[in-house]
């Protein structure tokens, strides 16, 4: 890290009134080693170019989706006998679709490349377009074929989602290569700045790169001769915005920048076309649980309680059993072939039963295909010194206790398919925290027990985030995140990512 101090010439160029002579306090500007002290002024123009390209591509994709949806609906509903009225209606559908997406903020710059918010805007646009067609048809007393609407809108929606997914993939690849990034100036205390920067570096696909940090003097460096312990003012931040040509200023739970000071800063950044984001300091909480409500003239951040019982859990249980039964029927031939291979290639039972701890601390017998020799537990003590897992779980890449067939079963997670029976019994869920051993639960801290608010899962965030390569702390953090923020939409996303993780066999041994 490089310690840079802003020059007085830059400070005086700020729009806000400077402090009286003798009271000026200079902040510490910290920039990563790979970021040069003098940055090219073309950075913002580069952002404008990729934003403009993304917006044009989004418009083209949505127009194309409208054309595809209307064309398929017309052909499926009317065949070759399309009258003029429906031909005009089909021609207007793409324009109406783009208008609905625009009204649902589908073309706002801040949502470009974010994924979930873009997809939500598409779904909301589909609902809005259906409502518009229904109301217009009723108001004008015109007879619009319901088959056309039922086909056109869903197909348009699916085509638009696929188009946005392709765009999202392309921009994610560019961001992993360091392109199409938004330059961020972080303001806050050293530990908070470090935490935010680490999170942004772990998720380059989100499109943020920290190019400088503004810290109070003494937060991260020893006091230097001629410098006092310094705070930050709006003028300091604006000078840093100009010097480092940033597009986003991130305030990290800084008590020195609140109330009227933060309001004035937002006005000044608005004049420069720079976005302001404020981190409330709340970690591992999903967006749906956070809302801002006006109370007594103030915008207060409300944190909703996680869903631990009631209707959502009943819906999740129904979803698990229905989908679990369908999956069990689909893989039944594979289960029978695997059972025969396990029985013929090694001595011992086909299934391995192990006591695990479920929701609320209830124990159950988890089922797996046996992938080790029958005396594996007895031989574990001899291999303990070779443990490659975390400090709690025993893992070994080349475990000599694993059978030849067992290696393939583990690589593609086929050994875990019998757990679908546990799902049907209600012991487990399709998605949830990893089912722990009683010995693991005995080592839990008070906070760790929250992971048992939900049923353990056949797969989960741990499965799609590294599997056996995770440390104990990382695995626990992912389980707690899921327990606090689970939803059916999140379950579907994890199931989709699980298929990719299993096919890639990353972290499986």
């Amino acid at each position: 890290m490089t310690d840079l101090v802003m020059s007085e010439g830059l400070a005086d160029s700020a729009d806000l009134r400077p402090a009286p002579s003798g009271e000026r306090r200079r902040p510490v500007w910290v920039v990563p080693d790979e970021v040069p002290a003098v940055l090219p002024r073309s950075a913002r123009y580069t952002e404008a170019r990729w934003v403009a390209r993304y917006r044009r591509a989004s418009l083209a994709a949505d127009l194309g989706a409208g054309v595809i949806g209307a064309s398929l609906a017309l052909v499926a509903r009317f065949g070759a006998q399309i009258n003029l009225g429906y031909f005009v209606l089909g021609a207007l559908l793409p324009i109406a679709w783009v208008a609905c997406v625009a009204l649902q903020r589908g073309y706002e710059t801040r949502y470009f490349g974010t994924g979930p918010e873009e997809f939500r805007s598409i779904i909301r646009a589909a609902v809005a377009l259906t409502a518009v067609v229904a109301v217009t048809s009723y108001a004008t007393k015109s007879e619009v074929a319901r088959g056309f609407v039922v086909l056109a809108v869903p197909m348009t929606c699916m085509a638009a989602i696929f188009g946005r997914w392709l765009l999202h993939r392309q921009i994610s690849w560019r961001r992993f290569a360091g392109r199409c990034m938004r330059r961020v100036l972080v303001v806050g205390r050293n530990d908070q700045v470090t935490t935010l920067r680490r999170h942004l570096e772990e998720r380059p696909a989100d499109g943020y790169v920290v190019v400088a940090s503004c810290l109070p003097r003494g937060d991260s460096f020893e006091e230097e001769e001629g410098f006092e312990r310094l705070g930050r003012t709006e003028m300091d931040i604006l000078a840093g915005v100009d010097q480092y040509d940033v597009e986003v200023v991130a305030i990290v739970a800084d008590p020195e920048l609140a109330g009227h000071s933060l309001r004035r800063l937002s006005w000044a950044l608005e004049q420069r076309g720079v976005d302001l984001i404020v981190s409330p300091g709340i970690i591992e909480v999903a967006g749906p649980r956070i809302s801002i409500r006006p109370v007594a003239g103030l915008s207060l951040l409300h944190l909703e309680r996680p869903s631990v019982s009631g209707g959502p859990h009943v819906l999740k249980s129904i979803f698990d059993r229905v989908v679990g039964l369908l999956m069990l029927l689909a893989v039944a031939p594979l289960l029978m072939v695997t059972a025969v291979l396990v029985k013929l290639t090694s001595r011992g039972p086909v299934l391995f039963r192990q006591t695990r701890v479920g929701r609320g601390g209830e124990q159950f017998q988890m089922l797996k295909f046996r992938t080790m020799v029958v005396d594996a537990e007895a031989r574990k003590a001899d291999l303990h010194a070779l443990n490659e897992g975390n400090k709690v779980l025993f893992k070994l890449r080349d475990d000599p206790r694993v059978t030849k067939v067992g290696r393939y079963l583990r690589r593609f997670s086929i050994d875990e398919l019998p757990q679908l029976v546990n799902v049907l019994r209600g012991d487990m869920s399709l998605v949830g925290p990893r089912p722990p051993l009683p010995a693991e639960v005995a080592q839990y801290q008070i906070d760790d027990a929250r992971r048992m608010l939900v049923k353990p899962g056949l797969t989960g965030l741990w499965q799609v985030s590294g599997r056996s390569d995770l440390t104990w702390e990382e695995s626990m953090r992912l389980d707690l995140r899921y327990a606090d923020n689970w939803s059916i939409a999140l379950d579907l996303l994890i199931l989709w990512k699980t298929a990719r993780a299993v096919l890639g066999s990353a972290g499986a041994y």
Side-chain angles (χ1 to χ4, degrees):
M1 304 288 288
T2 306
D3 186 5
L4 298 180
V5 179
M6 179 180 57
S7 70
E8 292 298 327
L10 281 170
D12 293 339
S13 65
D15 290 345
L16 298 178
R17 182 174 58 85
S21 177
E23 299 181 8
R24 175 77 173 131
R25 299 184 300 170
R26 290 169 293 178
V28 178
W29 294 108
V30 181
V31 298
D33 293 334
E34 64 271 13
V35 178
V38 180
L39 298 168
R41 300 293 296 178
S42 61
R44 189 166 302 174
Y45 301 109
T46 301
E47 186 205 20
R49 284 197 295 270
W50 77 256
V51 166
R53 291 195 189 104
Y54 195 95
R55 182 177 286 109
R56 289 195 298 267
S58 300
L59 284 167
D62 290 340
L63 282 173
V67 172
I68 292 173
S71 301
L72 292 178
L74 288 173
V75 172
R77 177 63 178 81
F78 303 106
Q81 299 177 349
I82 305 175
N83 60 40
L84 180 60
Y86 279 103
F87 184 82
V88 173
L89 183 60
L92 292 177
L93 180 65
I95 300 175
W97 172 251
V98 169
C100 288
V101 174
L103 290 175
Q104 298 301 325
R105 301 182 176 183
Y107 304 116
E108 288 193 8
T109 303
R110 57 178 171 167
Y111 296 140
F112 285 172
T114 58
E117 189 59 37
E118 280 191 285
F119 299 146
R120 278 193 287 268
S121 68
I122 297 296
I123 295 174
R124 290 195 300 263
V127 175
L129 182 59
T130 303
V132 167
V133 172
V135 171
T136 303
S137 177
Y138 176 79
T140 59
K141 297 182 179 180
S142 58
E143 294 293 335
V144 178
R146 285 172 292 184
F148 172 76
V149 177
V150 169
L151 291 172
V153 177
M155 286 191 289
T156 299
C157 179
M158 289 188 291
I161 288 177
F162 180 71
R164 291 299 181 99
W165 178 78
L166 290 178
L167 290 176
H168 181 69
R169 294 282 294 177
Q170 291 179 358
I171 197 171
S172 295
W173 292 334
R174 287 180 170 85
R175 283 173 172 173
F176 276 109
R179 300 163 58 191
C180 301
M181 305 292 284
R182 306 191 71 194
R183 303 163 61 81
V184 182
L185 167 67
V186 183
V187 182
R189 296 290 177 181
N190 185 46
D191 54 344
Q192 298 165 336
V193 167
T194 302
T195 299
L196 178 60
R197 181 178 175 183
R198 184 179 69 249
H199 280 287
L200 294 180
E201 288 177 346
E202 291 174 353
R203 294 288 300 273
D206 290 340
Y208 293 98
V209 56
V210 177
V211 296
S213 304
C214 183
L215 311 174
R217 174 65 63 183
D219 253 24
S220 60
F221 299 94
E222 296 181 357
E223 299 289 346
E224 298 180 20
E225 184 178 355
F227 291 100
E228 56 180 331
R229 185 178 178 84
L230 303 171
R232 289 138 309 205
T233 66
E234 300 96 322
M235 186 167 57
D236 297 330
I237 297 172
L238 293 178
V241 168
D242 295 336
Q243 180 177 359
Y244 296 103
D245 210 10
V246 301
E247 289 89 39
V248 179
V249 172
I251 308 296
V252 190
D254 193 341
E256 297 180 13
L257 283 170
H260 293 295
S261 297
L262 191 59
R263 188 185 187 192
R264 289 196 303 269
L265 176 63
S266 68
W267 291 342
L269 293 176
E270 181 183 353
Q271 295 175 357
R272 287 167 165 77
V274 176
D275 291 337
L276 174 66
I277 58 178
V278 180
S279 172
I282 301 174
I283 61 173
E284 304 295 354
V285 177
R289 287 184 55 205
I290 299 176
S291 61
I292 298 178
R293 306 174 192 169
V295 178
L298 302 174
S299 297
L300 301 183
L301 189 69
H302 286 247
L303 183 62
E304 307 294 343
R305 292 188 297 270
S307 175
V308 296
S309 62
H313 275 273
V314 173
L315 180 61
K316 180 178 175 66
S317 180
I318 295 173
F319 173 81
D320 287 337
R321 284 178 164 85
V322 172
V323 178
L325 178 60
L326 295 176
M327 292 178 62
L328 188 60
L329 294 175
V331 301
L334 177 60
L335 294 177
M336 289 187 290
V337 171
T338 303
V340 172
L341 290 176
V342 172
K343 189 65 178 178
L344 293 179
T345 56
S346 62
R347 180 176 58 86
V350 172
L351 294 178
F352 173 71
R353 292 173 171 84
Q354 190 175 45
T355 301
R356 297 292 179 110
V357 182
R359 185 185 179 191
E362 296 183 1
Q363 296 187 357
F364 66 96
Q365 292 293 310
M366 189 185 73
L367 302 177
K368 296 179 66 175
F369 279 122
R370 182 176 56 82
T371 59
M372 292 186 175
V373 295
V374 291
D375 61 341
E377 289 298 319
R379 297 169 56 182
K380 181 178 178 180
D382 299 332
L383 302 172
H384 190 73
L386 304 176
N387 184 20
E388 298 177 359
N390 52 53
K391 63 183 181 182
V392 177
L393 300 179
F394 180 86
K395 292 289 183 179
L396 194 61
R397 283 186 187 274
D398 297 319
D399 197 325
R401 301 173 300 165
V402 179
T403 63
K404 293 182 179 180
V405 172
R407 295 188 186 279
Y408 290 99
L409 299 182
R410 288 184 166 214
R411 179 179 180 183
F412 297 103
S413 298
I414 298 175
D415 61 319
E416 298 176 0
L417 290 180
Q419 293 170 32
L420 289 170
V421 177
N422 291 117
V423 173
L424 295 180
R425 289 177 179 175
D427 299 327
M428 296 177 60
S429 175
L430 287 176
V431 181
R434 188 186 58 80
L437 294 164
E440 298 173 41
V441 177
Q443 301 183 50
Y444 280 0
Q445 303 296 323
I446 295 178
D447 294 339
D448 298 341
R450 286 186 61 84
R451 74 194 297 271
M452 291 188 290
L453 290 175
V454 295
K455 293 179 183 178
L458 179 63
T459 184
L461 287 175
W462 49 273
Q463 180 83 354
V464 299
S465 304
R467 299 161 86 178
S468 298
D469 293 330
L470 296 174
T471 65
W472 171 254
E473 290 76 13
E474 290 171 336
S475 177
M476 182 61 66
R477 177 173 57 85
L478 291 174
D479 286 344
L480 291 175
R481 179 193 299 175
Y482 178 83
D484 281 341
N485 302 293
W486 77 268
S487 66
I488 296 297
L490 179 60
D491 285 1
L492 292 173
L493 179 62
I494 292 175
L495 288 172
W496 165 252
K497 289 189 174 182
T498 297
R500 297 170 54 189
V502 169
L503 292 176
S505 65
Y509 51 89

